[in-house]
Amino acid sequence: MAITAQEVNKLRQKTGAGMMDCKKALTEAGGDFEKAIDILRKKGQKVSASRADRETKEGVVATHVSADGKTGTLISLTCETDFVAKNDEFVNFANSILDATVKGNADSIDAVMALPFEGSTVGEKITEMTGKIGEKIEVSHLEKVSGEAVEPYIHSNGKLGVLVALNQSGDAVTEAGKDVAMQIAAMNPVAIDKDGVDSTVVEREIEVGKDQARQEGKPEAMLEKIALGKLNKFYKENTLLSQTFVKDPGKTIAQYLESVNKGLTVVDFKRISIG
């Protein structure tokens, strides 16, 4: 049967698929609109499965902070190429998934994939998008923080995002939160303070410190002391509150926050970087 350009365009507007794909689907479906949609979705599922082993090293990061400023959500939607990552449709899709995540209060990627989304689910829509663009797409990260105030930061390339939660609120805290979020983006701390550093990381740093000292010819009896000294340097460089404040090298982050408001500190942070 003959498929009109109007029918093809209608299916294209509904699904976002290419004109030729829409025409083929309608022809295969004998002009049945709903069946054609299913055919396109199945094509998407097939493409998605065939690209399951591909790496998604490009994409975008998106953030949301609740109206009361106390809860933040951070996700990444990743793909295979920078060309797709920069496409407005892909960026808008990422933001729509973020909106659905917030609305559905999803707390895991699996929960995000099961959320209702435009008449189906997020997972099904991702499969459709994969079929449409021919690249693997996935929600790679989901992070949440909460505190008296949450400040977000997205780097200009859209591939690096931060949420920082503080124990106080107010205009001065908002500005401080922005500074600290940019610090986290630039310096990539491993924890808020030394108490938050994973024990396996501490053990590794001590062993590395001992090996370095041993190779330098230091006495065995001194290795532990030297390694602990190196560990303290690690804490200073890699834990947020002990780091030198990039915008004012005369202060640590802890000192900077205290100068803004007495007792002000960071209670949580999350950082997502793509690539």
Side-chain angles (χ1 to χ4, degrees), residues 91-167:
V91 174
N92 292 336
F93 186 45
N95 284 305
S96 294
I97 292 174
L98 174 62
D99 291 342
T101 300
V102 172
K103 183 178 179 181
N105 196 30
D107 57 3
S108 69
I109 291 176
D110 285 344
V112 171
M113 299 295 278
L115 288 170
F117 189 87
E118 297 179 358
S120 55
T121 66
V122 170
E124 288 169 341
K125 284 296 181 181
I126 286 176
T127 296
E128 289 179 28
M129 181 70 82
T130 296
K132 178 181 175 182
I133 68 172
E135 282 195 15
K136 182 179 179 181
I137 299 172
E138 58 185 346
V139 177
S140 297
H141 304 90
L142 169 63
E143 301 287 358
K144 291 187 174 186
V145 302
S146 60
E148 286 302 306
V150 173
E151 290 300 321
Y153 172 77
I154 296 287
H155 194 58
S156 58
N157 65 3
K159 297 179 182 180
L160 171 61
V162 172
L163 289 172
V164 58
L166 301 113
N167 66 337

Side-chain angles (χ1 to χ4, degrees), residues 151-153 161-164 176-186:
E151 290 300 321
Y153 172 77
V162 172
L163 289 172
V164 58
K178 291 176 181 177
D179 285 337
V180 175
M182 286 190 284
Q183 172 90 15
I184 294 166

Side-chain angles (χ1 to χ4, degrees), residues 242-270:
S242 297
Q243 283 182 338
T244 299
F245 183 27
V246 171
K247 293 180 69 174
D248 185 354
K251 296 177 181 177
T252 64
I253 290 295
Q255 290 168 339
Y256 165 63
L257 291 173
E258 185 69 19
S259 72
V260 173
N261 266 355
K262 186 175 181 180
L264 178 62
T265 192
V266 174
V267 296
D268 197 5
F269 74 85
K270 299 296 180 185

